[in-house]
Amino acid sequence: MIAASWLLPLAGGILGAIFGSFIGALCSRWPGGRSVMTGRSQCDQCQRTLSAMELIPLLSFILQQGKCRYCSGAVDSDQFGAEMLAALIGAAAFAFLPVEPAAATAIMGWLLLPLIFLDYRHLWLPNRLILLLAVAGPVAGHTLIPGYQLTVQLLAGAGAFAAMELLRHGFKWLRGKEGMGAADPKLFGAIALWLPPLAIPYLLLVASGLGLLMLFLLRSKDAAFSDKMLPFGTMLGIAAIAVQFAVLL
């Protein structure tokens, strides 16, 4: 029984690592205009095509100590990070939640991960990924929210988007400059489709807290820090995963 109890978390972790490999490749290639669906994976340094044994999620990075076998150039650590985080999300979901909510929570986390990485590295939240997250929310929502009502969730999502969009325009009107990216309200609305309406204020609270923490850390490292844009979409994504787990546990 003890061994059996670890099968689902193990499977969730393995599946997460596989998804994480795709997420890492997506975040590496897409900003440069390269397709993740075509072309063989290559070393970023020497451009040598990588073999299947060099593309095993997590294990290849560990065994090769984060270096290319041919040129010893450093492998992008974000690839390993994406695989590890996706594995942890899958393992944690199936370790602590019933099967259906676990699957939905893992999918939510895996859909959020590329948005978290892309916004952190490039201040970019692609509309196509936000739309995919928004469409998947109502499909999976009934497994996550007791007494799920589609109309209520759609209104919650629209309300979340409208509130943040109003805040974005209000800041611009008062300060005369952009204080928030145009995609942040869209992401906030898409995430709201996954959460109980009463959890949405907590999502904003946790995301804002993470943003203030990052601001404090940046200022502690750079006394001249002032106008650097913060990746609030990254904060929203991290907060959404944390709040979803908190709601279900």
Side-chain angles (χ1 to χ4, degrees), residues 22 25-26 28-30 33-42 49:
F22 176 81
L26 177 75
S28 174
R29 295 186 187 187
W30 198 0
R34 294 179 293 157
S35 173
V36 73
M37 304 304 294
T38 59
R40 298 284 300 278
S41 294
Q42 298 176 320
T49 299

Side-chain angles (χ1 to χ4, degrees), residues 9-240:
L10 178 61
I14 293 172
L15 188 59
I18 294 170
F19 274 113
S21 181
F22 176 81
I23 291 168
L26 177 75
C27 294
S28 174
R29 295 186 187 187
W30 198 0
R34 294 179 293 157
S35 173
V36 73
M37 304 304 294
T38 59
R40 298 284 300 278
S41 294
Q42 298 176 320
C43 170
D44 293 332
Q45 309 297 329
C46 65
Q47 307 303 313
R48 188 179 183 113
T49 299
L50 302 178
S51 67
M53 294 302 294
E54 295 170 290
L55 296 172
I56 301 173
L58 297 178
L59 288 179
S60 293
F61 186 93
I62 294 172
L63 293 175
Q64 294 169 201
Q65 299 181 334
K67 298 178 181 179
C68 173
R69 288 174 55 197
Y70 303 101
C71 70
S72 297
V75 176
D76 186 359
S77 60
D78 280 358
Q79 179 70 39
F80 179 77
E83 293 169 1
M84 177 60 74
L85 288 174
L88 288 174
I89 289 171
F94 284 98
F96 298 110
L97 302 175
V99 174
E100 288 192 1
T105 299
I107 290 170
M108 175 187 173
W110 295 334
L111 290 175
L112 282 167
L113 269 184
L115 291 161
I116 289 171
F117 273 88
L118 288 170
D119 196 42
Y120 182 76
R121 292 197 64 174
H122 306 283
L123 292 176
W124 182 39
L125 295 169
N127 285 328
R128 279 181 279 182
L129 292 183
I130 295 175
L131 179 61
L132 180 60
L133 180 70
V135 170
V139 175
H142 69 279
T143 67
L144 298 169
I145 302 171
Y148 179 85
Q149 296 182 44
L150 179 59
T151 302
V152 172
Q153 289 303 125
L154 292 176
L155 288 173
F161 165 78
M164 188 166 285
E165 182 72 358
L166 183 62
L167 181 64
R168 184 175 77 87
H169 284 288
F171 183 93
K172 184 177 181 180
W173 180 73
L174 288 172
R175 300 291 299 274
K177 62 180 181 179
E178 294 286 354
M180 182 185 300
D184 289 331
K186 301 175 189 176
L187 179 59
F188 188 44
I191 292 172
L193 297 173
W194 289 81
L195 298 172
L198 293 178
I200 296 174
Y202 294 100
L203 167 65
L204 187 57
L205 180 65
V206 174
S208 299
L210 290 172
L212 289 173
L213 177 61
M214 175 175 277
L215 185 63
F216 172 78
L217 293 174
L218 286 172
R219 284 184 170 172
S220 67
K221 292 182 178 180
D222 182 3
F225 173 84
S226 58
D227 294 325
K228 182 177 174 62
M229 293 288 290
L230 292 177
F232 191 60
T234 296
M235 309 306 155
L236 281 173
I238 295 171

